[in-house]
């Protein structure tokens, strides 16, 4: 055999080669896969990053479902995630990161397939407690795209005119807009609260202290405590998209958690501190039952 060919098939070398563990990113309702632009490159240095396109609003798969009379629900999106992982990744256990609605999808997947999940990281997940404020719905219906974009961020400069223009162009496409509205119809009001006590993998919850989409962040934090092995952080001066607004911090938090090195939570990120501050301000107090 040619020496170069022998080197290519050297079993010792092949056995020494180790692929990085898979890291799966699932975006939320208002975002697309591009929303991971500030995270994907960093995490790719440590993991084999995959981004399944579950919510392509003008995509053939979504519209085949719609045209057949089917609903775009969390269960449907979870099935799509499961099919993607089984077909194209095939290397469980998986590390999964998701934002907003995507958090509901990976929580549902983790309760259905706990043996296939290593760890979870959820960024401002919806559906844990209370309702969501959905300026996206009104923004689409009334063509108020600046309101839609600005509601996501705490700092105004992230809602640039360029980003608003991009979103506006997307929604001028009738097929895209139909996909969004049907997804809204099928997912708004869905709750994963009954699943929380059944989530087995270690789970990181990242919240924005100034989230205007999650209607009750303190209530969601308390609900998340039902997860058996949960770590929670609250990022000050941050809205519904910490992976963009506070990308460096989020990148490090997720990396350290997935490597089991997030042993302590910095005081500034401590959810107990955040809850105490909310109580002092008289916000989100639970009414006491009259005796």
């Amino acid at each position: 055999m040619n020496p170069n060919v022998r080197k290519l098939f050297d079993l010792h070398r092949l056995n020494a080669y180790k692929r990085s563990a898979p890291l799966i990113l699932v975006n939320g309702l208002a975002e697309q896969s591009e929303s991971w632009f500030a995270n994907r490159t960093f995490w790719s240095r440590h993991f084999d990053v995959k981004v399944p396109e579950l919510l392509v609003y003008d995509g053939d798969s979504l519209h085949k479902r719609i045209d057949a009379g089917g609903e775009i629900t969390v269960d449907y999106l979870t099935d799509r995630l499961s099919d993607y992982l089984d077909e194209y990744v095939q290397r469980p256990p998986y590390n999964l990161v998701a934002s907003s609605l995507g958090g509901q999808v990976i929580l549902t997947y983790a309760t259905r397939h706990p043996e296939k999940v290593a760890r979870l990281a959820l960024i401002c997940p919806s559906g844990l407690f209370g309702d969501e404020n959905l300026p996206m719905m009104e923004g689409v219906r009334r063509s108020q795209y600046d309101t839609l974009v600005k509601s996501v961020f705490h700092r105004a400069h992230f809602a640039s005119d360029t980003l608003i223009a991009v979103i506006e162009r997307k929604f001028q496409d009738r097929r895209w807009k139909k996909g969004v509205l049907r997804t809204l119809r099928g997912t708004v009001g869905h709750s994963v609260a009954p699943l929380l006590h059944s989530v087995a993998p270690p789970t990181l919850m990242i919240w924005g202290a100034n989230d205007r989409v999650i209607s009750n962040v303190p209530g969601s934090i308390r609900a998340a405590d039902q997860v058996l092995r949960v770590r929670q952080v609250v990022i000050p001066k941050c809205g519904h998209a910490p992976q963009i607004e506070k990308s460096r911090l989020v990148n490090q938090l997720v990396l350290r958690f997935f490597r089991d090195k997030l042993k302590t939570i910095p005081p500034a990120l401590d959810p107990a501190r955040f809850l105490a501050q909310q109580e002092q301000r008289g916000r989100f107090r639970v009414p006491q039952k009259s005796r």
Side-chain angles (χ1 to χ4, degrees):
M1 180 182 289
N2 184 294
N4 292 327
V5 175
R6 186 180 296 111
K7 288 181 181 179
L8 178 64
F9 288 98
D10 189 302
L11 291 180
H12 177 73
R13 291 175 180 268
L14 288 175
N15 289 333
Y17 173 73
K18 184 179 180 181
R19 297 177 66 181
S20 300
L23 174 63
I24 316 302
L25 307 180
V26 181
N27 55 271
L29 182 68
E31 311 101 16
Q32 292 293 276
S33 58
E34 294 85 357
S35 64
W36 301 109
F37 71 91
N39 323 105
R40 188 171 181 173
T41 299
F42 179 84
W43 289 333
S44 293
R45 299 172 191 163
H46 309 277
F47 301 97
D48 180 18
V49 174
K50 306 290 185 183
V51 188
E53 299 279 2
L54 302 185
L55 281 174
V56 180
Y57 292 124
D58 58 350
D60 290 340
S61 180
L62 196 76
H63 282 271
K64 285 179 182 178
R65 171 84 173 179
I66 292 171
D67 293 342
E71 294 293 328
I72 310 301
T73 63
V74 171
D75 285 338
Y76 165 72
L77 296 172
T78 304
D79 288 340
R80 289 204 65 198
L81 174 62
S82 181
D83 291 344
Y84 171 86
L85 294 175
D86 288 347
E87 187 71 22
Y88 298 108
V89 186
Q90 302 180 20
R91 290 188 292 120
Y94 309 113
N95 296 299
L96 295 108
V97 182
S99 62
S100 197
L101 176 67
Q104 297 190 47
V105 174
I106 68 169
L107 277 175
T108 305
Y109 179 83
T111 57
R112 293 181 183 178
H113 308 284
E115 76 286 354
K116 293 184 179 182
V117 178
R119 289 179 177 243
L120 303 171
L122 289 84
I123 302 171
C124 299
S126 62
L128 272 64
F129 183 88
D131 299 322
E132 279 77 59
N133 300 314
L134 289 172
M136 182 177 187
M137 186 175 290
E138 292 303 312
V140 173
R141 288 176 175 170
R142 300 181 182 181
S143 299
Q144 296 176 334
Y145 302 105
D146 57 339
T147 301
L148 188 162
V149 175
K150 290 175 181 177
S151 69
V152 175
F153 301 107
H154 174 63
R155 291 191 284 176
H157 74 270
F158 283 99
S160 65
D161 291 341
T162 301
L163 179 57
I164 292 170
V166 168
I167 297 298
E168 184 174 2
R169 285 196 300 272
K170 290 281 190 183
F171 286 108
Q172 298 309 312
D173 184 327
R174 294 179 62 185
R175 181 178 171 92
W176 180 279
K177 189 171 183 177
K178 180 181 179 181
V180 170
L181 292 175
R182 288 298 295 270
T183 303
L184 280 165
R185 190 176 83 176
T187 58
V188 169
H190 184 269
S191 174
V192 290
L195 303 180
L196 295 176
H197 69 281
S198 302
V199 177
T203 302
L204 174 66
M205 299 274 185
I206 299 175
W207 306 96
N210 307 96
D211 193 328
R212 289 185 286 165
V213 176
I214 303 296
S215 63
N216 191 332
V217 175
S220 296
I221 292 171
R222 294 187 180 100
D225 278 335
Q226 297 177 65
V227 177
L228 182 62
R229 292 187 285 174
V230 69
R231 302 297 303 276
Q232 301 200 66
V233 299
V234 182
I235 302 179
K237 298 180 181 180
C238 185
H240 192 60
Q243 74 274 24
I244 298 174
E245 283 196 89
K246 302 288 186 177
S247 59
R248 291 184 180 180
L249 176 58
V250 169
N251 289 345
Q252 289 292 339
L253 286 170
V254 170
L255 176 62
R256 290 179 65 82
F257 180 73
F258 283 164
R259 290 186 165 182
D260 198 23
K261 293 183 178 180
L262 189 61
K263 301 300 183 183
T264 60
I265 302 298
L269 306 180
D270 190 341
R273 178 179 178 177
F274 170 75
L275 292 175
Q277 291 172 344
Q278 297 301 302
E279 288 292 340
Q280 290 174 0
R281 293 170 186 170
R283 300 177 59 191
F284 302 111
R285 285 182 176 173
V286 178
Q288 299 295 318
K289 293 182 180 180
S290 57
R291 295 183 180 179

